[in-house]
Amino acid sequence: MTEEAPAPPAPPTRVGPPPDDSSPDARDPRDAHASPDARASRARSLLPDLAPWWASADFRRLWLSGLITHFGSSLTLVALPVQMKVLTGSVVAVGAIGAVELVPLIVFGLYGGALADALDKRKLIVRTEAGQGLLCAGLLVNALMPTPAVWPLYAVAALSSALGAVQRPALDSLVPRIVAHEHLPAAASLNSLRWSVGGVAGPALAGVVVAYAGLGWAYAVDLATFVVSVALVLGLGASPAAHEAAKPSLKSIAEGARYAWSRKELLGTYAIDLAAMFFAMPLAVLPFLADELDAEWSLGLMYAALPAGALLVTLTSGWTSRVHRHGRMVALAAACWGLAMVGAGAVHDVGTVLLFLALAGSFDMVSGIFRGAMWDQTIPDELRGRLAGIELLSYSVGPQLGQVRAGGTAAWTSVRTSIWAGGVICVAAVGLLGLCLPGLMKYDVRTNEHAVRMRSARGRALSSHPHP
C-alpha cells in the first residue's frame, strides 16, 4: 500500500489583533515597497542552499575532492589533444581520442554501477582516484621524454575513461547516503556548482599553462591535484554495500535495467537528455563557427560560455529546492536548451552567439539539477549504483554521439544549419517525448510513490540511528 505524503505544516498563528494594512508586517514581501529585511531575505533565497555542506562533513570532503580533481583534470583535457596535435599533426588522430574513450565508457559504466552496489563505495572511490593519479603520472613521464610516444596518450585516454566510468556511479550513489533526503536537491545544485566552476576556470588556466609553461607543467599540476583529492576521500566514512545488494554480474546489471524500464519517469529523464545532447550539442563545430564569424579570438569564449551559463544558475539555485514538479522542469529546460541553440545558429553577431550559448548552458544546468534530484530521491539504495551507471551513459554517450551528429550535419549542409536545425529537432523531440511519457510530466516529489517510500525509509533510518 502506498504511503501518503506528509501533510504540509500549518501556518503560524498570530497572537493579538490583525495588523494595520500600513504596518510593515502586513506588507507582501513580494511588493515593491517590501522592507529591507524582506528584500534581503528574497535575495538570499536565490543563493545556493548550503544546508548539505554544513550538515555533512563527508559531503564537504566529497565536494572539495571533486572540485580539485575536476580543476586538475581540465588541464589534462586541454593538454592531451594539444600534445597529440603536436606529435602527429593529424586532425583524425586528435579525434580518435574520443573514439577510444567511448567503448570503455559504455562497458565500464554499466559494470561500475554493479560494483558500486556490491562493494564499499569509499574504497572504490579511493582506489579509482589513486588509479587516475597514476595514469596522470604516466602522461607526465611520457611528456618529459626526449621523444614522447603517441600510444601512451591513447592508452591513458582509454584507461582513464574506464576508471572514470567505474568511479562515477559510486560517487553518485554515495551522495544520498551522506545527505539528508530533503537536502538532496540542494546537494545536486552544489555539485553542479562544483562542475561549473571547474569547467570555466580549468580550461582557462590550461590554455595559459600549456602555452607559456609547457605540457609537462599541465600534467604535473593535475598530478598534484590527485594527491590532494585522494587525501580528502581517505577521510570519508565507510559506506558498505546494502544487505540486499546483488553481486556484480550480468544478471545484476540486467536487474538494474529492468528496474529502470519499469520507472517510466526515470526513462523520460534519460531519453530527454539523450535527445538534447544528440541533436543540439554544438562543441564539434564551434571552431568553424568562430571562423565564419571572422572572430577566431572568440573560440575560447564560446567553449567557456556553456559552463559560464551553468555557473550562473548554480550561484542562484536556491529556488530549485522549492520546485516539486521536477519532470516538467527537466522537459522545459531541455526544450529551452534547443531554442537557445536555434538562436546561436541563426544570429551573425558573435556577442549574441555567446549570449545564446550561455543561455543554453544555464538551461542545461537546470535540467541536470532536476534530473539528479529525481534520481537521488526515488531510487532504492540497493539499486542506486547500477542506476547511476545507466545515468552515466545517458549524460555521457549523448554528447559523444552529438559531436558526430554535429560534424556530419555541418559537412552535409553548413555549420550554421548544423547548429540551428539541431536545436529545432531537439525541441520537437522533447515535445514528442513529453507526450509519450505522461508519468514524467506528472511527477511530483511530494506525492510520487517512490519518493514517498524513500522519504519514509530515510526517516526510519534516522530514528533508528540518530546522528550524535
Side-chain angles (χ1 to χ4, degrees):
M1 180 176 178
T2 303
E3 299 178 52
E4 294 184 359
T13 302
R14 180 181 293 274
V15 178
D20 182 82
D21 287 343
S22 61
S23 69
D25 288 341
R27 297 172 186 167
D28 185 348
R30 299 179 183 273
D31 189 81
H33 302 291
S35 68
D37 287 346
R39 288 195 297 269
S41 176
R42 289 176 59 192
R44 285 193 299 270
S45 70
L46 292 175
L47 298 177
D49 184 354
L50 299 179
W53 174 276
W54 297 121
S56 173
D58 277 348
F59 180 77
R60 290 196 296 273
R61 285 182 175 274
L62 202 64
W63 193 91
L64 288 171
S65 170
L67 176 65
I68 293 168
T69 295
H70 186 50
F71 177 79
S73 297
S74 295
L75 296 172
T76 297
L77 183 68
V78 174
L80 195 144
V82 169
Q83 186 177 20
M84 183 66 76
K85 176 178 177 292
V86 171
L87 294 177
T88 67
S90 168
V91 177
V92 174
V94 175
I97 295 174
V100 302
E101 292 173 335
L102 185 58
V103 174
L105 180 68
I106 295 172
V107 174
F108 288 93
L110 292 173
Y111 187 63
L115 286 175
D117 282 336
L119 302 178
D120 187 302
K121 294 176 176 56
R122 172 189 172 276
K123 292 180 180 178
L124 193 57
I125 291 169
V126 170
R127 291 169 183 172
T128 51
E129 193 76 356
Q132 293 274 27
L134 291 175
L135 291 177
C136 186
L139 288 175
L140 175 59
V141 171
N142 184 59
L144 295 178
M145 297 291 287
T147 306
V150 171
W151 69 264
L153 305 186
Y154 287 123
V156 168
L159 291 172
S160 179
S161 178
L163 283 176
V166 170
Q167 184 190 72
R168 187 60 185 266
L171 288 170
D172 290 347
S173 59
L174 178 61
V175 172
R177 284 193 172 189
I178 61 179
V179 173
H181 187 273
E182 65 272 16
H183 293 161
L184 286 173
S189 297
L190 291 175
N191 282 334
S192 300
L193 173 62
R194 176 188 68 192
W195 291 108
S196 299
V197 170
V200 173
L205 179 62
V208 176
V209 171
V210 170
Y212 294 100
L215 293 164
W217 276 103
Y219 296 138
V221 173
D222 191 12
L223 178 58
T225 63
F226 275 115
V227 173
V228 177
S229 178
V230 169
L232 284 169
V233 295
L234 279 171
L236 293 172
S239 184
H243 295 300
E244 303 85 356
K247 293 182 179 180
S249 63
L250 291 176
K251 180 180 179 181
S252 68
I253 293 173
E255 181 185 359
R258 283 195 298 271
Y259 176 82
W261 182 257
S262 71
R263 295 279 310 279
K264 303 308 181 190
E265 71 275 26
L266 290 185
L267 284 180
T269 66
Y270 303 149
I272 283 180
D273 189 48
L274 280 170
M277 294 298 102
F278 178 75
F279 290 118
M281 174 57 79
L283 295 185
V285 298
L286 290 184
F288 304 96
L289 179 62
D291 289 343
E292 284 197 8
L293 295 172
D294 292 323
E296 292 82 358
W297 54 269
S298 69
L299 178 59
L301 295 177
M302 289 182 183
Y303 280 118
L306 290 169
L311 178 61
L312 179 62
V313 169
T314 54
L315 289 174
T316 57
S317 60
W319 61 273
T320 60
S321 296
R322 299 187 294 276
V323 175
H324 307 294
R325 295 186 177 275
H326 297 166
R328 292 184 181 181
M329 289 301 296
V330 169
L332 177 62
C336 289
W337 154 272
L339 288 174
M341 288 305 171
V342 172
V347 300
H348 297 271
D349 174 68
V350 66
T352 311
V353 169
L354 292 172
L355 175 61
F356 276 118
L357 290 176
L359 283 172
S362 67
F363 291 127
D364 184 45
M365 180 54 65
V366 171
S367 177
I369 287 173
F370 289 107
R371 286 197 312 270
M374 287 181 66
W375 298 337
D376 289 343
Q377 291 184 317
T378 65
I379 297 173
D381 187 67
E382 67 273 12
L383 287 167
R384 190 162 279 136
R386 280 164 285 176
L387 270 293
I390 296 173
E391 293 153 18
L392 173 68
L393 298 185
S394 77
Y395 58 69
S396 298
V397 173
Q400 296 276 11
L401 295 177
Q403 304 307 318
V404 178
R405 195 282 317 165
T409 306
W412 181 45
T413 56
S414 69
V415 172
R416 290 183 176 281
T417 301
S418 175
I419 298 174
W420 70 256
V424 170
I425 299 173
C426 168
V427 175
V430 170
L432 181 61
L433 287 169
L435 291 175
C436 296
L437 295 165
L440 175 69
M441 306 307 289
K442 294 177 181 178
Y443 177 89
D444 188 322
V445 70
R446 297 167 296 184
T447 57
N448 177 266
E449 61 176 310
H450 303 283
V452 171
R453 188 179 300 118
M454 287 296 299
R455 187 159 54 242
S456 176
R458 288 296 298 273
R460 289 195 298 269
L462 289 175
S463 299
S464 303
H465 305 284
H467 292 289

